[in-house]
Every structure is written in C-alpha cells, then in structure tokens.
Amino acid sequence: MKIHSKVAGSLMLMSLALVGQACAPSATSKPTSSLPPPPAADSSRSAGGGEGQRGLSKESTTGKSSLDDLKSGKAPVTPASSPLKDIFFDFDRYDLSADARALLRANADWLKTNSAVRVEIEGHCDERGTSEYNLALGAKRAQAAREYLATLGVASERLSTTSFGEEIPLCKEANESCWKQNRRARFVITPSRPAS
Amino acid sequence: MMRKLIFLLVFGVSVLHAHFAYAAVTGEIVGQGGQKFPIAVSPLKILSAVSSDVARLSTGIADAMVHDLELSGWFKVLDRSAYIEDAQKTGITLGAFDFKDWSTIGAEGLVKGGFSVQGEDITVELRLFDVYQNKERIGKRYTGRVRDFRRIAHKFVDEIINQFTGIPGVFNTRIAYVSNSGGRFKEIHVSHLDGSEKFQVTDNHTINLSPTWSPDGRSILYSSFKERGQTLYLFELFSGKEIKFTPRGAAKYLSGKLSPDGQTVVATLETAGNSNLYLLDRSGNVIRRLTEDTGIEVSPSWSPDGKQIVFVSDRSGSPQLYILDLSGGKTRRLSYSGNYNTSPEWSPKGDRIVYTGRVGSRFAIFSISVEGGEPRKLTTESADSEDPTWSPDGRFIAFSSNRAGKYHLYVMQASGENQRRLTGSGGDDTKPSWSPRLD
C-alpha cells in the first residue's frame, strides 16, 4: 500500500483498489476409503432383537432422539442393547455401503417382526463443511436408509426422517476416527401410535 | 419475559465547520506489505462534567475509534504512550494546540475532541486534522446517551473513512452469529462489530442456526429446532415479536434470507431427503418453488438487485455454486475449482461472490467474480475458515475460523488482508451475518 499523503501533501488521498491474489484451490479428491462401520456390526439380532420379539415394552425400547439427549446433557449414543443399529457413511456421501446395507437388512428383519414399531431415522454428519449443506446431507442419509428399508418390505409410513446435520455429534474430537462415528444414521423408536 | 434489543439512539449530529475539501483519489493501489496511514487519536478533553466516570469516557471514546481504524486495515494508529501533549491542557480547535507535538511523533492525521456530560446525556465534539497541512478536515458535534458513547465514536470513524475514500465506513453495524458459549446448545447472538452491546436473540436450549438480517436491520431470520421439526423464525429485534414459519406438511425449513426489498424470503425446504429452494412471503407461506432437483439445493443468497440467487447444488456430484436468474428461470454453474464449494454470499457491490471451499482436508474462504473465472483464495489452510459474510459496503468480509483453537469470528479486507479476530468468547462462534448499515 502506498499513500500519497506526502506527495499530495494532504490527508485527502488514498484510493482503495483492493488486490487479492488470484489463486485456485488445489485440486482435491473425494476421500475414497470405504470405512468399515465402527463397532458392534453384527451381534445385534440375538441381544436386542430377542428382547423386542414379543410384547414390546415401551419403557425399555422407546428411544430418546439425539435432540432429547442434547437437552438432557447425555451423549447421543445408540445403546448396545438397541435392536436397531446405526449405519455409517463416507465424507460428503449418502450412498449406502455394503456394511450399511447388511445392517439395514438386520434392522429391517427386526422391524418386520415388530410391526407396530415406528422409527424416526436421524441423519448426522461430521463437523467438516458448512452447517446448512450438512443439514441437507444428513437429510439425504436418513432418506437413503428409509428407502432401502422400504425396498426390504418395511412400510415407509412407519419411518420418518430428520436431519441434525453436524449439530449433534456423537464424538467431539477433530480427527477421522471421531468423524467417522458422526457420519451416521440413527434409528430411534418413537412412541407407538394407534395402528393405522 | 420478551427478549428485545433496546433501541439506542444518537440524538443529533451537527457539522461544526463546513470546509469539506473533496477527498481527491490519487489512483494508487493498496497492496500487501505497504504503508498504512499514520494517525494519532488523542484522549478526549473533558470540557465539563459532573460525573465521576469521565476519565473512562476520555479514553473510552478514543479506544473505540482506535479499534475501528485498526480493524479497517488502512491506518496505523500511533501508540498513545508516545503522545507529547496533555489532552486536558490543550485546546481541541485549530490554533489551540501545536501540530509539532504530532508531526514529531510521525502522525500525519490527528483526531482530537472533547466532551461534556450532563446526567445521562453526553455531547461529544470530534475533529480530524491534517498534521501535514495544519488544517482541519472534519468537525462534528454529537449528542446522545452516555451509555452509547461507542456509537458516537463509530459514527465519527465512518466519517473519517468517508473523507479518505469517498464512501463512509461500516463501523456502526452489528454481527449476528451462532454461539455455543462453551456449552452444548447453539443460540443466536447479536453484537456490535466491536463486541459491545451483546444481545442474545434465542435462549431455548436447543439448536438455532443460520441467522440472516432483514434489509432494514431490524429483524433476524433464523432456523431452530426449538419446536418439533426444524423451521424458520423471524425475530423483530426492537419489539421482541417473532413470526414462526409454519412448515408445509412434513417439510423442514433449513435456512432463509429476506430479499433486498424485504418483501419475500428465499428459503431451503427439505422434504423426503430432497432440499430445494422456495420463494416465501414474510409469514413463511410458499409463493413458488424455484428449483426442481432430487439432490441438495441449499444456502441461497440474493444479488443486490434481487433478480438473481446464488446457491449450492450437488447436481454435478459435488457441492458447487450456481446462479439462478429469477426472471428467466435459467441456472448457470459458477464454480469449477475444487469439489466442495458452499455457503456463498453475494457482494453488496454486486460484482463478486464469497464462499467456503475445501482445499485438501481444510476449508478456506474464496471469492469469485459473478461472471465466473478463477477464484481468489483469501485465507490460508493452516486452519479452517468458513461461512463468509460481506460488510454492507462490500469492502470487508467477516468469517468464522478455528485458527486459535475454538471457532471465533474474524474480519478481513475483501482482498484477504488485515485479518483480525472479533470475538473471543469461551465457546465456538460460527455462521456470522453482517448487518446492513444502521442509523
């Protein structure tokens, strides 16, 4: 910046044409790693599933939404005993991995057995990127899970979706092992209503 | 208890002297590593006061001006400890002080002033002198409430910027933002650009997001999870009144922005996983749907003439910026560099769009011409910088960055120079939105 005050001998000076450096972002590529979903992939059917087979007890299986957990100061963790398992996604993706499909098949089996249960599917994202885009991305993730469950024979009227974007993370550290736990869809059993 | 912002008022401004020499523009370019204009800001002279707190005001008004001048990036404010003259023992008008006391320490510009306090009211006289030519350039008298003394300082700095550049400064403005205040909830806050006059818009202990200003600066539109299902709320700052945008069917209302004429809202509505742009009225009723896509369509921002909208779509397979022409209905892709470009905001000047782009594993602020072409990277990727917002004159950009650990708000020139931190609360401050000029 050069100012002409001395040259012009005056305070009246200074044009403020602003020059920024032109610089393209270096080309980036989408992460291609297909991350295995974190723990407890398969053990569900006997533990949680068995519990829910007959006479679903509202008290024990009606879940708290992630927003309820946030309000009460609890971590939005899906309990190991839950019959419906979380599924996980790659960064900026909402397509279902083979692992996610396997988990959804197990979830669908349980839902078909427990036909009175209604579920809200929550879509979540990791903290990276901007919040509005992540809200839309989370909605896509929840919807992808809903559509796959529907193709497996779960009536879609029993399934609602919501997105919390990056706003209610399960894990709060800034590293990939944490982020991959946050890129998920959660299945929260909602209080059952009179059968339609 | 209704939350509302107390309407602050500077009662009057009078011009003390009318010799406004026109600010001649020299055609020199402001570039990196160059020289800033050296200016001194004297503590104010106490002209008459019965209050005990006058020493605080003497330096407080000067400090507020120093903050603004430094934030602009165009001035080097000389350190007060170097000042020779005693502000309380010299006059504040031409001839009543010695310019040599200021030229000796390297000042080329000088701000002097005085004030008197009567009860709750304050009268402040401020003058800008040209030390080189021994002339007065601006003289103004302001009257207002003592508690609003910072606003008087901001108004005078806006005058100084006008004298230098031909366009008034933007220091009498506010920033709306999201903060978790170190806790687990996200609430909407508003504060003055210098961090004073803090006001918490929401206090519902849930998640509140995406605040944007009405063009008259009197209302904040934001999205919230405070009731079942995410939707938008239009909060009137000075009355505390709020309008809820009642969702249509199962739609979620993710974010919105009032049009430049204040009559309509462009909003993102999500149904069955698909987010699309809609035009709404001020009560949230749908006027018409603007995009028909099965992907993600979010973060709309108006062109200043209200004829076009820039937004984010993943229709190409990655989030990119697009511009929708409202009259013709045609859409064109704007960004081609990188594979993650989000949160665009259209410059009030109309010529550029600022946005967040991903570089490697980090996020940085970019700006791009509305005609497209090569983007300019404005922040480095040693940390993440996100959610840029323009000042109402288009010469500055505020954004959120985690370069100091937590997310804080920063301001820089539109070129990316002079990046300075605005907030330092105990929590994460994100998603800033810069107000229009305020009275």
Side-chain angles (χ1 to χ4, degrees):
Chain A
M1 178 167 73
K2 208 174 216 174
I3 288 173
H4 269 198
S5 59
K6 280 169 183 153
V7 180
S10 163
L11 267 180
M12 312 172 288
L13 34 108
M14 201 156 159
S15 87
L16 298 161
L18 302 171
V19 182
Q21 72 243 77
C23 181
S26 57
T28 56
S29 58
K30 244 176 217 203
T32 47
S33 61
S34 61
L35 301 159
D42 198 40
S43 60
S44 54
R45 257 174 266 184
S46 52
E51 192 183 330
Q53 292 293 323
R54 278 172 294 278
L56 183 67
S57 147
K58 259 185 224 168
E59 293 70 31
S60 63
T61 51
T62 297
K64 293 284 184 202
S65 77
S66 296
L67 192 60
D68 292 333
D69 287 336
L70 179 87
K71 287 177 186 168
S72 58
K74 291 180 189 145
V77 181
T78 302
S81 63
S82 170
L84 299 172
K85 302 302 179 193
D86 292 1
I87 60 167
F88 298 87
F89 297 84
D90 287 346
F91 176 73
D92 192 26
R93 300 299 293 264
Y94 48 84
D95 51 332
L96 300 170
S97 65
D99 289 327
R101 285 167 194 268
L103 288 162
L104 284 170
R105 281 193 292 274
N107 287 350
D109 289 345
W110 188 87
L111 285 165
K112 283 190 275 186
T113 311
N114 297 277
S115 57
V117 170
R118 287 170 177 271
V119 169
E120 180 155 86
I121 308 171
E122 298 178 355
H124 294 267
C125 304
D126 70 37
E127 66 183 33
R128 293 171 299 160
T130 43
S131 67
E132 285 163 23
Y133 181 78
N134 279 336
L135 283 166
L137 180 62
K140 277 286 183 194
R141 287 175 176 169
Q143 183 66 16
R146 184 183 193 225
E147 285 172 4
Y148 191 63
L149 289 174
T151 65
L152 295 172
V154 181
S156 58
E157 311 86 76
R158 296 168 60 197
L159 308 169
S160 61
T161 58
T162 196
S163 172
F164 292 114
E166 65 179 79
E167 308 305 330
I168 312 183
L170 174 61
C171 183
K172 292 184 176 168
E173 288 154 40
N175 55 54
E176 176 55 26
S177 70
C178 209
W179 291 329
K180 70 182 181 188
Q181 298 177 54
N182 292 334
R183 297 189 298 263
R184 61 177 178 152
R186 258 191 107 182
F187 302 85
V188 179
I189 297 171
T190 55
S192 42
R193 291 169 219 166
S196 51
Chain B
M1 181 76 184
M2 195 177 264
R3 288 176 169 272
K4 60 179 181 179
L5 190 61
I6 296 160
F7 194 41
L8 302 166
L9 208 58
V10 174
F11 295 139
V13 183
S14 48
V15 177
L16 296 174
H17 295 280
H19 53 265
F20 265 112
Y22 179 69
V25 172
T26 60
E28 199 66 23
I29 287 168
V30 177
Q32 197 144 22
Q35 185 193 332
K36 299 181 183 206
F37 189 80
I39 192 166
V41 180
S42 171
L44 273 66
K45 183 169 187 168
I46 302 159
L47 299 175
S48 78
V50 285
S51 153
S52 59
D53 219 10
V54 289
R56 181 183 65 96
L57 286 170
S58 170
T59 52
I61 296 169
D63 288 346
M65 290 190 285
V66 169
H67 173 273
D68 293 350
L69 290 166
E70 288 185 334
L71 196 61
S72 80
W74 296 323
F75 298 92
K76 175 186 176 7
V77 182
L78 302 177
D79 193 79
R80 195 173 292 155
S81 63
Y83 297 177
I84 295 162
E85 80 160 37
D86 181 342
Q88 305 307 328
K89 289 181 182 158
T90 54
I92 59 169
T93 53
L94 207 59
F97 64 94
D98 191 347
F99 276 110
K100 278 213 185 72
D101 286 346
W102 299 101
S103 58
T104 303
I105 62 168
E108 294 178 22
L110 168 65
V111 176
K112 281 179 75 75
F115 67 97
S116 52
V117 173
Q118 194 158 37
E120 301 270 286
D121 296 335
I122 188 168
T123 299
V124 184
E125 281 183 40
L126 291 166
R127 289 183 165 86
L128 173 68
F129 295 100
D130 181 338
V131 175
Y132 200 87
Q133 289 213 323
N134 293 8
K135 280 188 175 160
E136 181 178 320
R137 293 295 174 205
I138 314 174
K140 294 248 167 176
R141 178 183 290 124
Y142 300 88
T143 53
R145 296 285 191 196
V146 173
R147 64 166 187 247
D148 300 342
F149 73 87
R150 282 189 193 82
R151 305 188 106 215
I152 291 171
H154 299 317
K155 277 177 172 281
F156 191 69
V157 173
D158 285 353
E159 292 286 344
I160 295 173
I161 304 282
N162 188 37
Q163 177 77 10
F164 275 68
T165 68
I167 301 166
V170 287
F171 295 102
N172 193 30
T173 51
R174 294 190 169 98
I175 299 262
Y177 58 98
V178 175
S179 180
N180 67 6
S181 302
R184 62 187 190 275
F185 307 119
K186 291 193 174 180
E187 307 283 2
I188 309 293
H189 297 248
V190 166
S191 84
H192 208 281
L193 200 56
D194 65 1
S196 68
E197 298 177 32
K198 281 194 171 64
F199 174 72
Q200 194 174 328
V201 175
T202 63
D203 190 16
N204 54 49
H205 296 237
T206 61
I207 303 286
N208 302 276
L209 299 167
S210 303
T212 57
W213 291 87
S214 62
D216 63 3
R218 301 183 68 87
S219 300
I220 301 279
L221 185 66
Y222 67 97
S223 81
S224 178
F225 287 92
K226 66 182 169 180
E227 296 169 272
R228 191 167 168 73
Q230 185 185 9
T231 193
L232 294 168
Y233 298 83
L234 184 60
F235 181 85
E236 221 286 335
L237 285 168
F238 301 107
S239 70
K241 278 188 225 156
E242 185 164 271
I243 297 167
K244 178 185 179 183
F245 285 20
T246 305
R248 192 168 73 159
K252 312 277 196 316
Y253 290 26
L254 305 191
S255 74
K257 179 112 176 83
L258 278 147
S259 57
D261 66 6
Q263 298 304 302
T264 56
V265 172
V266 62
T268 302
L269 272 57
E270 180 264 310
T271 331
N274 297 325
S275 46
N276 275 288
L277 305 188
Y278 287 76
L279 199 62
L280 313 177
D281 67 21
R282 279 184 68 105
S283 307
N285 304 305
V286 172
I287 298 170
R288 66 188 165 104
R289 184 168 166 171
L290 298 176
T291 59
E292 301 276 349
D293 196 75
T294 55
I296 292 173
E297 318 273 305
V298 289
S299 299
S301 172
W302 295 91
S303 64
D305 63 7
K307 291 178 178 168
Q308 298 177 87
I309 288 166
V310 62
F311 64 100
V312 174
S313 172
D314 75 339
R315 63 185 69 175
S316 72
S318 67
Q320 299 293 345
L321 309 185
Y322 292 78
I323 289 178
L324 168 67
D325 188 310
L326 283 174
S327 55
K330 281 197 180 131
T331 299
R332 68 182 161 97
R333 182 170 168 179
L334 180 66
S335 65
Y336 287 91
S337 303
N339 65 359
Y340 193 105
N341 297 311
T342 58
S343 68
E345 194 177 281
W346 207 305
S347 161
K349 288 180 182 170
D351 58 340
R352 295 191 77 79
I353 284 159
V354 70
Y355 63 95
T356 307
R358 185 166 181 250
V359 187
S361 60
R362 292 291 191 180
F363 295 86
I365 309 296
F366 293 83
S367 76
I368 187 170
S369 163
V370 296
E371 308 303 332
E374 201 66 12
R376 292 178 193 159
K377 187 151 84 58
L378 305 177
T379 59
T380 62
E381 63 270 27
S382 54
D384 297 306
S385 298
E386 297 175 12
D387 290 328
T389 177
W390 293 97
S391 62
D393 64 355
R395 294 189 286 190
F396 300 93
I397 295 161
F399 59 99
S400 174
S401 175
N402 62 2
R403 62 188 63 177
K406 288 182 182 296
Y407 277 91
H408 300 293
L409 305 186
Y410 293 77
V411 165
M412 61 184 171
Q413 294 183 334
S415 62
E417 288 173 75
N418 198 50
Q419 302 190 9
R420 284 170 187 264
R421 188 163 135 186
L422 282 185
T423 59
S425 73
D428 289 303
D429 298 335
T430 54
K431 202 69 200 163
S433 178
W434 203 317
S435 79
R437 290 180 188 279
L438 304 169
D439 290 330

